[in-house]
Amino acid sequence: MIRICQSILNANFDDLPNEIAKVAKYADLLHLDIMDGKFVPNTTFNPQSARSIVENSPLPVDLHLMISEADRMVLPYTKMNAASISVHLEALSDPRATLRLIRDSGKRAALAIKPGTPIESVEPYLQDLDMILVMTVEPGFGGQRFISEMMPKVSLARKWLTQNGLNEKWIQVDGGINETTIREAFLAGADTFVAGSVVYKSSDPGGMVAKLRSCATGE
Ligand code: DX5
Ligand code: ZN
């Protein structure tokens, strides 16, 4: 069982309802990238605009917070009706407490790491999280090249989950996913895939999501 999370970062922001409608029947989750211009050199949604997307989304929403001081700044997001919230380990001073806060708000809690952060830094929190997000590009922008060198992180995370009987937890990859790289990430052990520009560049976005799903599993 795999999941495709549609990122709308490279969708047409002037017509989001229609852009989201194009993929609503095909994707499993809507992946919303929140950037504050500090943790990453780009700014997207603030809590108010994120809330309006969450409230109107036909798909459950996966919030990816690329924001500094995430322990504190996560608060308004815990009050929205999202399905999950990912916070970056690099932006946390107390990962365990913040993951607990997210879970207590009824959402799945995910710990994300940038390409330069070793996967070993996630290991102490395996019991506290519902998903590990291994970034396969430097966070900040869509349309970048997939960093294959991140695949050993995915494999090691999968090994830990299997060894500890924790395979109900998800491993997500985000950045540079296309028909080829999704297979690579699947074979490394990922089960949850963020797809952004590859879908919106396609003349048939819904069909592309379906295609990615079959490319991943080889079915
Ligand atoms: C990048 C974002 C991604 C981005 C992926 O910082 O976190 O979710 O939208 O876009 P693509 O699939 O184009 O790399
Ligand atoms: Zn993202």
Coordinates of all heavy atoms in Angstrom, one line a residue, residues 42-113:
N42 N 12.3 31.0 0.9 CA 11.1 31.2 0.0 C 9.9 31.3 1.0 O 10.0 30.8 2.2 CB 10.9 29.9 -0.8 CG 9.9 30.1 -1.9 OD1 9.3 31.2 -2.1 ND2 9.6 29.0 -2.6
T43 N 8.9 31.9 0.6 CA 7.7 32.1 1.5 C 6.5 31.6 0.7 O 6.3 31.9 -0.5 CB 7.5 33.6 1.8 OG1 8.8 34.1 2.3 CG2 6.5 33.8 2.9
T44 N 5.6 30.9 1.4 CA 4.4 30.4 0.7 C 3.2 30.9 1.5 O 2.8 32.0 1.5 CB 4.4 28.9 0.5 OG1 4.6 28.3 1.8 CG2 5.5 28.5 -0.5
F45 N 2.6 30.0 2.3 CA 1.4 30.2 3.0 C 1.6 30.6 4.5 O 2.5 30.1 5.1 CB 0.5 29.0 3.0 CG 0.3 28.5 1.6 CD1 1.0 27.3 1.2 CD2 -0.5 29.1 0.7 CE1 0.9 26.8 -0.1 CE2 -0.7 28.6 -0.6 CZ 0.0 27.5 -1.0
N46 N 0.8 31.5 5.0 CA 0.8 31.8 6.4 C -0.3 31.0 7.0 O -1.1 30.3 6.3 CB 0.6 33.3 6.7 CG -0.6 33.9 6.1 OD1 -1.6 33.1 5.9 ND2 -0.7 35.1 5.8
P47 N -0.5 31.0 8.4 CA -1.5 30.1 9.0 C -2.9 30.4 8.4 O -3.7 29.5 8.2 CB -1.4 30.4 10.5 CG 0.0 30.8 10.7 CD 0.4 31.5 9.4
Q48 N -3.2 31.7 8.2 CA -4.6 32.0 7.7 C -4.8 31.4 6.3 O -5.9 30.8 6.1 CB -4.8 33.6 7.6 CG -4.9 34.3 8.9 CD -3.5 34.4 9.6 OE1 -2.4 34.2 9.1 NE2 -3.5 34.7 10.9
S49 N -3.9 31.6 5.4 CA -4.1 31.1 4.0 C -4.1 29.5 4.1 O -4.8 28.9 3.3 CB -3.2 31.7 3.0 OG -1.9 31.6 3.5
A50 N -3.2 29.0 4.9 CA -3.2 27.5 5.0 C -4.5 27.0 5.5 O -5.1 26.0 5.0 CB -2.1 27.1 5.9
R51 N -5.1 27.7 6.5 CA -6.4 27.2 7.1 C -7.4 27.2 6.0 O -8.2 26.2 5.9 CB -6.8 28.1 8.2 CG -8.1 27.7 8.8 CD -8.6 28.7 9.9 NE -7.8 28.8 11.1 CZ -7.9 27.9 12.1 NH1 -8.8 26.9 12.0 NH2 -7.1 27.9 13.1
S52 N -7.5 28.2 5.2 CA -8.5 28.2 4.2 C -8.4 27.1 3.2 O -9.4 26.5 2.7 CB -8.6 29.6 3.6 OG -8.4 29.6 2.2
I53 N -7.1 26.7 2.8 CA -6.9 25.6 1.9 C -7.3 24.3 2.6 O -8.0 23.4 2.0 CB -5.5 25.5 1.4 CG1 -5.2 26.8 0.6 CG2 -5.2 24.2 0.7 CD1 -3.7 26.9 0.2
V54 N -6.9 24.1 3.9 CA -7.3 22.9 4.6 C -8.8 22.8 4.7 O -9.3 21.7 4.5 CB -6.6 23.0 6.0 CG1 -7.2 21.8 6.9 CG2 -5.1 22.9 6.0
E55 N -9.5 23.9 5.0 CA -10.9 23.8 5.2 C -11.7 23.4 3.9 O -12.7 22.8 3.9 CB -11.5 25.1 5.8 CG -11.3 25.2 7.3 CD -11.6 26.6 7.8 OE1 -12.1 27.4 7.0 OE2 -11.4 26.8 9.0
N56 N -11.1 23.8 2.8 CA -11.8 23.6 1.5 C -11.2 22.4 0.7 O -11.7 22.1 -0.4 CB -11.7 24.9 0.6 CG -12.5 26.0 1.3 OD1 -13.7 25.9 1.4 ND2 -11.8 27.0 1.7
S57 N -10.2 21.7 1.2 CA -9.6 20.7 0.5 C -10.5 19.4 0.4 O -11.0 18.9 1.4 CB -8.3 20.3 1.1 OG -7.8 19.1 0.4
P58 N -10.7 18.9 -0.8 CA -11.4 17.6 -0.9 C -10.6 16.4 -0.5 O -11.1 15.3 -0.3 CB -11.7 17.5 -2.4 CG -10.6 18.3 -3.1 CD -10.2 19.4 -2.1
L59 N -9.3 16.6 -0.3 CA -8.4 15.5 0.2 C -7.9 15.9 1.6 O -7.7 17.0 1.9 CB -7.1 15.5 -0.8 CG -7.3 14.9 -2.2 CD1 -6.1 15.2 -3.0 CD2 -7.6 13.4 -2.1
P60 N -7.5 14.8 2.4 CA -6.9 15.1 3.6 C -5.6 15.8 3.4 O -4.9 15.6 2.4 CB -6.6 13.7 4.2 CG -7.1 12.7 3.3 CD -7.7 13.4 2.1
V61 N -5.2 16.8 4.3 CA -4.1 17.6 4.0 C -2.9 17.2 4.9 O -3.0 17.0 6.1 CB -4.4 19.1 4.3 CG1 -3.2 20.0 4.1 CG2 -5.5 19.5 3.3
D62 N -1.7 17.1 4.2 CA -0.4 16.8 4.8 C 0.4 18.1 4.9 O 0.8 18.6 3.8 CB 0.2 15.8 3.9 CG 1.7 15.4 4.3 OD1 2.0 15.3 5.5 OD2 2.5 15.2 3.3
L63 N 0.5 18.7 6.1 CA 1.2 20.0 6.2 C 2.7 19.8 6.4 O 3.1 19.1 7.3 CB 0.7 20.8 7.4 CG -0.8 21.3 7.3 CD1 -1.1 21.9 8.7 CD2 -0.9 22.4 6.3
H64 N 3.5 20.3 5.5 CA 5.0 20.2 5.6 C 5.5 21.6 6.0 O 5.5 22.5 5.2 CB 5.5 19.8 4.2 CG 7.0 19.7 4.2 ND1 7.7 19.6 3.0 CD2 8.0 19.8 5.2 CE1 9.0 19.5 3.3 NE2 9.2 19.6 4.6
L65 N 5.8 21.7 7.3 CA 6.3 23.0 7.8 C 7.8 23.2 7.7 O 8.6 22.6 8.3 CB 5.9 23.1 9.3 CG 4.4 22.9 9.7 CD1 4.2 23.2 11.2 CD2 3.5 23.7 8.9
M66 N 8.1 24.1 6.8 CA 9.5 24.5 6.6 C 9.7 25.9 7.3 O 9.8 26.9 6.6 CB 9.9 24.5 5.1 CG 10.1 23.1 4.6 SD 9.9 23.0 2.8 CE 8.2 22.9 2.7
I67 N 9.6 25.8 8.6 CA 9.6 27.1 9.4 C 10.6 27.0 10.6 O 10.8 25.9 11.1 CB 8.2 27.4 9.9 CG1 7.6 26.3 10.7 CG2 7.2 27.7 8.7 CD1 6.2 26.6 11.3
S68 N 11.2 28.1 10.9 CA 12.0 28.2 12.1 C 11.2 28.2 13.3 O 10.0 28.4 13.3 CB 12.8 29.5 12.0 OG 13.6 29.5 10.9
E69 N 11.9 27.9 14.4 CA 11.3 27.8 15.8 C 10.0 27.0 15.7 O 8.9 27.5 16.2 CB 10.9 29.3 16.3 CG 12.2 30.1 16.5 CD 11.8 31.5 17.0 OE1 11.3 31.6 18.1 OE2 12.0 32.4 16.2
A70 N 10.1 25.8 15.2 CA 8.9 25.0 14.9 C 8.2 24.6 16.2 O 7.0 24.4 16.2 CB 9.3 23.8 14.1
D71 N 8.9 24.5 17.3 CA 8.2 24.1 18.6 C 7.1 25.1 18.9 O 6.0 24.7 19.3 CB 9.2 24.2 19.8 CG 10.4 23.3 19.5 OD1 11.4 23.8 18.9 OD2 10.4 22.1 19.9
R72 N 7.3 26.4 18.6 CA 6.4 27.4 19.0 C 5.5 27.7 17.8 O 4.2 27.8 17.9 CB 7.1 28.6 19.4 CG 6.3 29.8 19.8 CD 7.2 30.8 20.5 NE 8.2 31.4 19.6 CZ 8.0 32.5 18.8 NH1 6.8 33.0 18.8 NH2 8.9 33.0 18.0
M73 N 6.1 27.8 16.6 CA 5.3 28.2 15.4 C 4.3 27.2 14.9 O 3.5 27.5 14.0 CB 6.3 28.6 14.3 CG 7.2 29.8 14.7 SD 6.4 31.2 15.3 CE 6.0 32.0 13.7
V74 N 4.5 25.9 15.4 CA 3.5 24.9 14.9 C 2.1 25.1 15.5 O 1.1 24.6 14.9 CB 4.1 23.5 15.4 CG1 4.0 23.3 16.9 CG2 3.4 22.3 14.7
L75 N 2.0 25.8 16.6 CA 0.7 25.9 17.3 C -0.5 26.2 16.4 O -1.5 25.5 16.5 CB 0.8 26.9 18.4 CG 1.1 26.3 19.8 CD1 1.3 27.4 20.8 CD2 0.0 25.4 20.2
P76 N -0.5 27.3 15.6 CA -1.7 27.5 14.8 C -2.1 26.4 13.9 O -3.2 26.1 13.6 CB -1.4 28.8 14.0 CG 0.1 29.0 14.2 CD 0.5 28.3 15.4
Y77 N -1.1 25.6 13.4 CA -1.3 24.5 12.5 C -2.0 23.3 13.2 O -2.7 22.6 12.6 CB 0.0 24.1 11.8 CG 0.6 25.3 11.0 CD1 1.6 26.1 11.5 CD2 0.0 25.6 9.7 CE1 2.0 27.2 10.8 CE2 0.5 26.6 9.0 CZ 1.5 27.4 9.5 OH 1.9 28.5 8.8
T78 N -1.7 23.2 14.5 CA -2.3 22.1 15.3 C -3.8 22.3 15.4 O -4.5 21.4 15.7 CB -1.7 21.9 16.7 OG1 -1.9 23.1 17.4 CG2 -0.2 21.6 16.6
K79 N -4.2 23.6 15.2 CA -5.6 23.9 15.4 C -6.4 23.8 14.1 O -7.6 24.0 14.1 CB -5.7 25.3 16.0 CG -5.0 25.4 17.4 CD -5.3 26.6 18.2 CE -4.7 26.5 19.6 NZ -3.5 27.4 19.7
M80 N -5.8 23.4 13.1 CA -6.5 23.2 11.8 C -6.9 21.7 11.6 O -6.3 20.8 12.2 CB -5.6 23.6 10.6 CG -5.2 25.0 10.6 SD -4.0 25.3 9.4 CE -3.4 26.9 10.0
N81 N -7.8 21.5 10.7 CA -8.3 20.1 10.5 C -7.4 19.3 9.5 O -7.9 18.7 8.6 CB -9.7 20.2 10.0 CG -10.4 18.9 10.0 OD1 -10.0 18.0 10.8 ND2 -11.5 18.8 9.2
A82 N -6.1 19.4 9.7 CA -5.2 18.7 8.7 C -5.1 17.2 9.2 O -5.4 16.9 10.3 CB -3.8 19.3 8.7
A83 N -4.6 16.4 8.3 CA -4.4 14.9 8.6 C -3.0 14.7 9.3 O -2.9 13.9 10.2 CB -4.5 14.1 7.4
S84 N -2.0 15.5 8.9 CA -0.7 15.3 9.4 C 0.1 16.6 9.4 O -0.2 17.5 8.6 CB 0.1 14.2 8.6 OG 0.0 14.5 7.3
I85 N 1.1 16.6 10.3 CA 2.0 17.8 10.3 C 3.4 17.2 10.3 O 3.8 16.4 11.2 CB 1.8 18.7 11.5 CG1 0.3 19.3 11.5 CG2 2.8 19.8 11.5 CD1 0.0 20.2 12.6
S86 N 4.3 17.7 9.4 CA 5.7 17.4 9.4 C 6.5 18.6 9.9 O 6.3 19.7 9.4 CB 6.2 17.1 8.0 OG 5.5 16.0 7.5
V87 N 7.3 18.4 10.9 CA 8.2 19.4 11.4 C 9.7 19.0 11.1 O 10.0 17.8 11.2 CB 8.0 19.7 12.9 CG1 6.8 20.6 13.1 CG2 7.8 18.5 13.7
H88 N 10.5 20.0 10.9 CA 11.9 19.7 10.6 C 12.7 19.6 11.9 O 12.7 20.5 12.7 CB 12.5 20.7 9.7 CG 12.4 20.4 8.2 ND1 13.4 19.7 7.6 CD2 11.3 20.6 7.4 CE1 12.9 19.5 6.3 NE2 11.7 20.0 6.2
L89 N 13.5 18.5 12.0 CA 14.3 18.3 13.1 C 15.3 19.5 13.3 O 15.6 19.9 14.5 CB 15.1 17.0 12.9 CG 16.0 16.5 14.1 CD1 15.1 16.2 15.3 CD2 16.7 15.2 13.7
E90 N 15.7 20.0 12.2 CA 16.7 21.1 12.3 C 16.1 22.4 12.9 O 16.8 23.3 13.3 CB 17.2 21.5 10.9 CG 17.9 20.3 10.1 CD 16.9 19.5 9.3 OE1 15.7 19.8 9.4 OE2 17.3 18.5 8.6
A91 N 14.8 22.5 13.0 CA 14.1 23.7 13.5 C 13.5 23.5 14.8 O 12.7 24.3 15.3 CB 13.0 24.1 12.5
L92 N 13.8 22.3 15.5 CA 13.2 22.0 16.8 C 14.2 22.0 17.9 O 15.3 21.6 17.7 CB 12.6 20.6 16.7 CG 11.4 20.4 15.8 CD1 11.1 18.9 15.6 CD2 10.2 21.1 16.3
S93 N 13.8 22.5 19.1 CA 14.7 22.3 20.2 C 14.2 21.2 21.1 O 15.0 20.6 21.8 CB 14.8 23.6 21.0 OG 13.5 24.2 21.3
D94 N 12.9 20.8 21.0 CA 12.4 19.7 21.8 C 11.5 18.8 20.9 O 10.3 18.9 20.9 CB 11.7 20.2 23.0 CG 11.3 19.0 24.0 OD1 11.4 17.8 23.6 OD2 11.0 19.3 25.2
P95 N 12.1 18.0 20.0 CA 11.4 17.2 19.1 C 10.3 16.4 19.7 O 9.2 16.3 19.2 CB 12.4 16.3 18.4 CG 13.7 17.0 18.6 CD 13.6 17.7 19.9
R96 N 10.6 15.7 20.8 CA 9.7 14.8 21.4 C 8.4 15.6 21.9 O 7.3 15.1 21.6 CB 10.3 14.1 22.6 CG 9.6 12.8 23.0 CD 10.5 11.9 23.9 NE 11.4 11.1 23.1 CZ 12.7 11.0 23.1 NH1 13.4 11.8 24.0 NH2 13.4 10.2 22.3
A97 N 8.6 16.7 22.5 CA 7.5 17.5 23.0 C 6.6 18.0 21.8 O 5.4 18.0 21.9 CB 8.0 18.7 23.8
T98 N 7.2 18.4 20.8 CA 6.5 18.9 19.6 C 5.7 17.8 18.9 O 4.6 18.0 18.5 CB 7.4 19.8 18.7 OG1 7.9 20.8 19.5 CG2 6.7 20.4 17.5
L99 N 6.3 16.7 18.8 CA 5.6 15.5 18.1 C 4.4 15.2 19.0 O 3.3 14.9 18.5 CB 6.6 14.3 18.0 CG 7.7 14.5 16.9 CD1 8.8 13.5 17.1 CD2 7.2 14.6 15.5
R100 N 4.6 15.2 20.3 CA 3.5 14.9 21.2 C 2.3 15.9 21.1 O 1.2 15.6 21.0 CB 4.1 14.9 22.7 CG 3.1 15.0 23.8 CD 2.1 13.8 23.9 NE 2.8 12.5 23.8 CZ 2.2 11.4 23.4 NH1 0.9 11.4 23.0 NH2 2.8 10.3 23.3
L101 N 2.7 17.2 20.9 CA 1.7 18.3 20.7 C 0.9 18.0 19.5 O -0.3 18.2 19.5 CB 2.5 19.6 20.6 CG 1.7 20.9 20.6 CD1 1.1 21.2 21.9 CD2 2.6 22.0 20.1
I102 N 1.6 17.6 18.4 CA 0.9 17.3 17.1 C 0.0 16.1 17.3 O -1.2 16.2 16.9 CB 1.9 17.1 16.0 CG1 2.8 18.4 15.7 CG2 1.2 16.6 14.7 CD1 4.0 18.1 14.8
R103 N 0.5 15.1 17.9 CA -0.4 13.9 18.1 C -1.6 14.2 19.0 O -2.7 13.8 18.8 CB 0.4 12.8 18.8 CG 1.3 12.1 17.8 CD 2.1 11.0 18.5 NE 2.5 9.9 17.6 CZ 3.2 8.9 17.9 NH1 3.5 8.7 19.2 NH2 3.6 8.0 17.1
D104 N -1.3 15.0 20.1 CA -2.4 15.4 21.0 C -3.5 16.2 20.3 O -4.7 16.2 20.7 CB -1.9 16.1 22.2 CG -1.2 15.2 23.2 OD1 -1.3 14.0 23.0 OD2 -0.5 15.8 24.1
S105 N -3.1 16.8 19.1 CA -4.2 17.6 18.4 C -4.9 16.6 17.4 O -5.7 17.1 16.6 CB -3.5 18.7 17.6 OG -2.8 18.3 16.5
G106 N -4.6 15.3 17.5 CA -5.3 14.4 16.7 C -4.8 14.1 15.3 O -5.5 13.6 14.4
K107 N -3.6 14.6 15.1 CA -2.9 14.4 13.7 C -1.8 13.5 13.8 O -1.2 13.2 14.8 CB -2.4 15.8 13.3 CG -3.5 16.8 13.1 CD -3.0 18.2 13.0 CE -4.1 19.2 13.0 NZ -5.0 19.2 14.1
R108 N -1.4 13.0 12.6 CA -0.2 12.2 12.5 C 1.0 13.2 12.6 O 1.0 14.2 12.0 CB -0.1 11.4 11.2 CG -1.3 10.4 11.0 CD -1.3 9.8 9.6 NE 0.0 9.1 9.4 CZ 0.3 7.9 9.7 NH1 -0.6 7.1 10.3 NH2 1.5 7.4 9.5
A109 N 2.0 12.7 13.3 CA 3.2 13.6 13.5 C 4.4 13.0 12.7 O 4.7 11.9 12.8 CB 3.5 13.6 15.0
A110 N 5.0 13.9 12.0 CA 6.2 13.5 11.2 C 7.4 14.3 11.5 O 7.3 15.5 11.7 CB 5.9 13.6 9.7
L111 N 8.6 13.7 11.4 CA 9.8 14.3 11.6 C 10.5 14.3 10.2 O 10.7 13.3 9.6 CB 10.6 13.5 12.6 CG 11.7 14.3 13.4 CD1 11.2 15.6 14.0 CD2 12.2 13.4 14.6
A112 N 10.9 15.5 9.8 CA 11.5 15.7 8.5 C 13.0 16.0 8.7 O 13.4 16.7 9.6 CB 10.8 16.9 7.7
I113 N 13.8 15.6 7.7 CA 15.2 15.9 7.7 C 15.7 16.4 6.3 O 15.3 15.8 5.3 CB 16.2 14.8 8.2 CG1 15.9 13.5 7.5 CG2 16.1 14.6 9.7 CD1 17.0 12.4 7.7

